[in-house]
PDB file of all heavy atoms in Angstrom:
ATOM      1  N   LEU A 135      20.905  12.653  -3.175  1.00 87.00           N
ATOM      2  CA  LEU A 135      19.902  11.737  -2.634  1.00 87.00           C
ATOM      3  C   LEU A 135      18.809  11.445  -3.656  1.00 87.00           C
ATOM      4  O   LEU A 135      18.188  10.373  -3.628  1.00 87.00           O
ATOM      5  CB  LEU A 135      19.270  12.326  -1.364  1.00 87.00           C
ATOM      6  CG  LEU A 135      20.194  12.504  -0.168  1.00 87.00           C
ATOM      7  CD1 LEU A 135      19.451  13.170   0.984  1.00 87.00           C
ATOM      8  CD2 LEU A 135      20.768  11.161   0.267  1.00 87.00           C
ATOM      9  N   ILE A 136      18.567  12.380  -4.577  1.00 88.00           N
ATOM     10  CA  ILE A 136      17.587  12.174  -5.639  1.00 88.00           C
ATOM     11  C   ILE A 136      18.229  11.491  -6.841  1.00 88.00           C
ATOM     12  O   ILE A 136      17.647  10.584  -7.452  1.00 88.00           O
ATOM     13  CB  ILE A 136      16.958  13.516  -6.069  1.00 88.00           C
ATOM     14  CG1 ILE A 136      16.343  14.231  -4.858  1.00 88.00           C
ATOM     15  CG2 ILE A 136      15.925  13.311  -7.167  1.00 88.00           C
ATOM     16  CD1 ILE A 136      15.291  13.433  -4.126  1.00 88.00           C
ATOM     17  N   LEU A 139      18.309   7.693  -6.691  1.00 84.00           N
ATOM     18  CA  LEU A 139      17.084   6.903  -6.592  1.00 84.00           C
ATOM     19  C   LEU A 139      16.891   6.034  -7.828  1.00 84.00           C
ATOM     20  O   LEU A 139      17.225   6.429  -8.951  1.00 84.00           O
ATOM     21  CB  LEU A 139      15.861   7.819  -6.440  1.00 84.00           C
ATOM     22  CG  LEU A 139      15.697   8.598  -5.140  1.00 84.00           C
ATOM     23  CD1 LEU A 139      14.416   9.411  -5.191  1.00 84.00           C
ATOM     24  CD2 LEU A 139      15.696   7.673  -3.937  1.00 84.00           C
ATOM     25  N   SER A 140      16.295   4.868  -7.628  1.00 82.00           N
ATOM     26  CA  SER A 140      15.938   4.015  -8.758  1.00 82.00           C
ATOM     27  C   SER A 140      14.819   4.665  -9.561  1.00 82.00           C
ATOM     28  O   SER A 140      14.008   5.431  -9.022  1.00 82.00           O
ATOM     29  CB  SER A 140      15.483   2.640  -8.256  1.00 82.00           C
ATOM     30  OG  SER A 140      16.494   2.011  -7.506  1.00 82.00           O
ATOM     31  N   ALA A 141      14.769   4.351 -10.845  1.00 82.00           N
ATOM     32  CA  ALA A 141      13.678   4.845 -11.679  1.00 82.00           C
ATOM     33  C   ALA A 141      12.358   4.234 -11.221  1.00 82.00           C
ATOM     34  O   ALA A 141      12.333   3.108 -10.703  1.00 82.00           O
ATOM     35  CB  ALA A 141      13.943   4.490 -13.134  1.00 82.00           C
ATOM     36  N   MET A 249      11.775  -1.332   8.322  1.00 98.00           N
ATOM     37  CA  MET A 249      10.711  -1.868   7.493  1.00 98.00           C
ATOM     38  C   MET A 249      10.890  -3.375   7.345  1.00 98.00           C
ATOM     39  O   MET A 249      11.911  -3.925   7.739  1.00 98.00           O
ATOM     40  CB  MET A 249      10.720  -1.215   6.111  1.00 98.00           C
ATOM     41  CG  MET A 249      10.589   0.299   6.121  1.00 98.00           C
ATOM     42  SD  MET A 249      10.430   0.972   4.449  1.00 98.00           S
ATOM     43  CE  MET A 249      11.993   0.474   3.730  1.00 98.00           C
ATOM     44  N   TYR A 254       7.516  -2.223   0.470  1.00 94.00           N
ATOM     45  CA  TYR A 254       6.892  -1.402  -0.561  1.00 94.00           C
ATOM     46  C   TYR A 254       7.939  -0.409  -1.057  1.00 94.00           C
ATOM     47  O   TYR A 254       8.464   0.381  -0.282  1.00 94.00           O
ATOM     48  CB  TYR A 254       5.680  -0.688   0.021  1.00 94.00           C
ATOM     49  CG  TYR A 254       5.000   0.301  -0.900  1.00 94.00           C
ATOM     50  CD1 TYR A 254       4.803   0.012  -2.247  1.00 94.00           C
ATOM     51  CD2 TYR A 254       4.550   1.519  -0.414  1.00 94.00           C
ATOM     52  CE1 TYR A 254       4.185   0.919  -3.083  1.00 94.00           C
ATOM     53  CE2 TYR A 254       3.917   2.435  -1.242  1.00 94.00           C
ATOM     54  CZ  TYR A 254       3.738   2.128  -2.580  1.00 94.00           C
ATOM     55  OH  TYR A 254       3.117   3.037  -3.411  1.00 94.00           O
ATOM     56  N   PHE A 255       8.235  -0.448  -2.352  1.00 91.00           N
ATOM     57  CA  PHE A 255       9.388   0.305  -2.853  1.00 91.00           C
ATOM     58  C   PHE A 255       9.244   1.818  -2.678  1.00 91.00           C
ATOM     59  O   PHE A 255      10.246   2.515  -2.494  1.00 91.00           O
ATOM     60  CB  PHE A 255       9.700  -0.037  -4.322  1.00 91.00           C
ATOM     61  CG  PHE A 255       8.521  -0.127  -5.245  1.00 91.00           C
ATOM     62  CD1 PHE A 255       7.791   0.995  -5.598  1.00 91.00           C
ATOM     63  CD2 PHE A 255       8.155  -1.353  -5.779  1.00 91.00           C
ATOM     64  CE1 PHE A 255       6.718   0.908  -6.465  1.00 91.00           C
ATOM     65  CE2 PHE A 255       7.080  -1.450  -6.647  1.00 91.00           C
ATOM     66  CZ  PHE A 255       6.349  -0.316  -6.995  1.00 91.00           C
ATOM     67  N   ASN A 256       8.028   2.359  -2.695  1.00 93.00           N
ATOM     68  CA  ASN A 256       7.901   3.795  -2.495  1.00 93.00           C
ATOM     69  C   ASN A 256       8.224   4.215  -1.072  1.00 93.00           C
ATOM     70  O   ASN A 256       8.678   5.340  -0.837  1.00 93.00           O
ATOM     71  CB  ASN A 256       6.491   4.267  -2.863  1.00 93.00           C
ATOM     72  CG  ASN A 256       6.325   4.483  -4.360  1.00 93.00           C
ATOM     73  OD1 ASN A 256       7.205   4.142  -5.143  1.00 93.00           O
ATOM     74  ND2 ASN A 256       5.204   5.046  -4.765  1.00 93.00           N
ATOM     75  N   HIS A 257       8.008   3.341  -0.105  1.00 96.00           N
ATOM     76  CA  HIS A 257       8.430   3.649   1.253  1.00 96.00           C
ATOM     77  C   HIS A 257       9.956   3.704   1.316  1.00 96.00           C
ATOM     78  O   HIS A 257      10.536   4.609   1.931  1.00 96.00           O
ATOM     79  CB  HIS A 257       7.910   2.595   2.230  1.00 96.00           C
ATOM     80  CG  HIS A 257       6.445   2.716   2.516  1.00 96.00           C
ATOM     81  ND1 HIS A 257       5.786   1.842   3.349  1.00 96.00           N
ATOM     82  CD2 HIS A 257       5.505   3.600   2.092  1.00 96.00           C
ATOM     83  CE1 HIS A 257       4.504   2.194   3.423  1.00 96.00           C
ATOM     84  NE2 HIS A 257       4.319   3.249   2.663  1.00 96.00           N
ATOM     85  N   GLU A 258      10.591   2.769   0.676  1.00 95.00           N
ATOM     86  CA  GLU A 258      12.050   2.727   0.686  1.00 95.00           C
ATOM     87  C   GLU A 258      12.643   3.973   0.042  1.00 95.00           C
ATOM     88  O   GLU A 258      13.529   4.631   0.608  1.00 95.00           O
ATOM     89  CB  GLU A 258      12.518   1.470  -0.054  1.00 95.00           C
ATOM     90  CG  GLU A 258      14.026   1.294  -0.104  1.00 95.00           C
ATOM     91  CD  GLU A 258      14.402   0.024  -0.835  1.00 95.00           C
ATOM     92  OE1 GLU A 258      13.976  -0.132  -2.003  1.00 95.00           O
ATOM     93  OE2 GLU A 258      15.117  -0.807  -0.253  1.00 95.00           O
ATOM     94  N   THR A 259      12.163   4.340  -1.151  1.00 95.00           N
ATOM     95  CA  THR A 259      12.733   5.489  -1.840  1.00 95.00           C
ATOM     96  C   THR A 259      12.384   6.798  -1.146  1.00 95.00           C
ATOM     97  O   THR A 259      13.164   7.757  -1.191  1.00 95.00           O
ATOM     98  CB  THR A 259      12.278   5.524  -3.311  1.00 95.00           C
ATOM     99  OG1 THR A 259      10.850   5.418  -3.382  1.00 95.00           O
ATOM    100  CG2 THR A 259      12.903   4.388  -4.097  1.00 95.00           C
ATOM    101  N   THR A 260      11.217   6.853  -0.490  1.00 96.00           N
ATOM    102  CA  THR A 260      10.878   8.038   0.304  1.00 96.00           C
ATOM    103  C   THR A 260      11.938   8.295   1.361  1.00 96.00           C
ATOM    104  O   THR A 260      12.436   9.417   1.520  1.00 96.00           O
ATOM    105  CB  THR A 260       9.513   7.862   0.973  1.00 96.00           C
ATOM    106  OG1 THR A 260       8.487   7.928  -0.016  1.00 96.00           O
ATOM    107  CG2 THR A 260       9.260   8.944   2.022  1.00 96.00           C
ATOM    108  N   LEU A 261      12.294   7.251   2.098  1.00 97.00           N
ATOM    109  CA  LEU A 261      13.298   7.417   3.153  1.00 97.00           C
ATOM    110  C   LEU A 261      14.649   7.802   2.568  1.00 97.00           C
ATOM    111  O   LEU A 261      15.343   8.675   3.102  1.00 97.00           O
ATOM    112  CB  LEU A 261      13.409   6.129   3.967  1.00 97.00           C
ATOM    113  CG  LEU A 261      12.133   5.667   4.679  1.00 97.00           C
ATOM    114  CD1 LEU A 261      12.401   4.402   5.482  1.00 97.00           C
ATOM    115  CD2 LEU A 261      11.564   6.758   5.561  1.00 97.00           C
ATOM    116  N   GLU A 262      15.008   7.170   1.467  1.00 95.00           N
ATOM    117  CA  GLU A 262      16.310   7.462   0.863  1.00 95.00           C
ATOM    118  C   GLU A 262      16.404   8.918   0.434  1.00 95.00           C
ATOM    119  O   GLU A 262      17.441   9.563   0.625  1.00 95.00           O
ATOM    120  CB  GLU A 262      16.540   6.535  -0.329  1.00 95.00           C
ATOM    121  CG  GLU A 262      16.779   5.081   0.076  1.00 95.00           C
ATOM    122  CD  GLU A 262      16.847   4.142  -1.105  1.00 95.00           C
ATOM    123  OE1 GLU A 262      16.391   4.520  -2.209  1.00 95.00           O
ATOM    124  OE2 GLU A 262      17.347   3.006  -0.925  1.00 95.00           O
ATOM    125  N   MET A 263      15.338   9.476  -0.146  1.00 94.00           N
ATOM    126  CA  MET A 263      15.434  10.855  -0.621  1.00 94.00           C
ATOM    127  C   MET A 263      15.382  11.860   0.529  1.00 94.00           C
ATOM    128  O   MET A 263      15.790  13.009   0.372  1.00 94.00           O
ATOM    129  CB  MET A 263      14.336  11.152  -1.642  1.00 94.00           C
ATOM    130  CG  MET A 263      12.950  11.319  -1.094  1.00 94.00           C
ATOM    131  SD  MET A 263      11.783  11.650  -2.455  1.00 94.00           S
ATOM    132  CE  MET A 263      10.293  11.965  -1.500  1.00 94.00           C
ATOM    133  N   LEU A 264      14.903  11.419   1.701  1.00 96.00           N
ATOM    134  CA  LEU A 264      14.880  12.289   2.873  1.00 96.00           C
ATOM    135  C   LEU A 264      16.154  12.183   3.707  1.00 96.00           C
ATOM    136  O   LEU A 264      16.314  12.908   4.697  1.00 96.00           O
ATOM    137  CB  LEU A 264      13.682  11.937   3.758  1.00 96.00           C
ATOM    138  CG  LEU A 264      12.290  12.222   3.175  1.00 96.00           C
ATOM    139  CD1 LEU A 264      11.207  11.672   4.104  1.00 96.00           C
ATOM    140  CD2 LEU A 264      12.090  13.717   2.958  1.00 96.00           C
ATOM    141  N   PRO A 268      16.798   3.457   5.436  1.00 97.00           N
ATOM    142  CA  PRO A 268      15.873   2.330   5.559  1.00 97.00           C
ATOM    143  C   PRO A 268      16.608   1.104   6.092  1.00 97.00           C
ATOM    144  O   PRO A 268      17.684   0.763   5.600  1.00 97.00           O
ATOM    145  CB  PRO A 268      15.389   2.107   4.123  1.00 97.00           C
ATOM    146  CG  PRO A 268      16.468   2.669   3.249  1.00 97.00           C
ATOM    147  CD  PRO A 268      17.197   3.707   4.046  1.00 97.00           C
TER     148      PRO A 268
END
Side-chain angles (χ1 to χ4, degrees):
L135 295 177
I136 304 302
L139 291 181
S140 301
M249 303 186 298
Y254 175 41
F255 44 69
N256 278 8
H257 286 179
E258 181 179 56
T259 52
T260 289
L261 300 182
E262 290 173 342
M263 74 181 186
L264 293 174

